[in-house]
Amino acid sequence: MTWLAYEGASPLATASLRLLGDREAEHLYEVKRVYVHDEHRGRGLAVAALDAVERSARALGVTRLFLQTGKLQPEAMGLYERQGWHRIPCYPPYDADVLGVCYGKRL
């Protein structure tokens, strides 16, 4: 499931929800590809993208989400932390990435 923000025909921002797999009868979902075009940053589009993906997840009955970013993306890390995400140990396949940072959030 992918969320897109457009201005006219131009895409400005995106975020996706991806099924990671199943564990203990729970579907595990990951937020992927949160991105805002450089020229449109600072307008709240990343927050809107995360909110849209979280609403979609709740509608599916998802109770927690995961995501991965990198240590070289401090703006992304700050965004996630401001939006209530908490750092967690990295999960596969990101557990082998020395620059990887993983987050989780209960919905």
Side-chain angles (χ1 to χ4, degrees):
M1 184 175 298
T2 299
W3 178 88
L4 292 163
Y6 284 93
E7 186 171 76
S10 300
L12 308 180
T14 187
S16 297
L17 181 64
R18 175 178 90 98
L19 179 63
L20 274 174
D22 296 316
R23 184 174 53 200
E24 300 173 14
E26 179 183 16
H27 296 304
L28 302 177
Y29 284 87
E30 177 181 36
V31 175
K32 297 290 293 178
R33 309 284 187 253
V34 177
Y35 179 77
V36 176
H37 192 280
D38 292 346
E39 296 174 9
H40 299 283
R41 292 187 178 161
R43 295 175 49 187
L45 292 169
V47 171
L50 283 173
D51 288 348
V53 170
E54 289 177 21
R55 279 192 307 277
S56 296
R58 281 188 193 92
L60 292 171
V62 176
T63 59
R64 60 187 173 148
L65 287 173
F66 302 92
L67 64 78
Q68 181 270 345
T69 190
K71 292 178 182 175
L72 300 179
Q73 297 163 315
E75 295 86 359
M77 293 170 61
L79 167 71
Y80 301 136
E81 291 168 10
R82 286 190 304 277
Q83 294 307 116
W85 292 79
H86 301 280
R87 283 185 71 163
I88 61 171
C90 281
Y91 49 92
Y94 311 114
D95 54 346
D97 181 356
V98 296
L99 294 178
V101 178
C102 291
Y103 286 89
K105 184 174 185 179
R106 293 224 174 257
L107 300 179

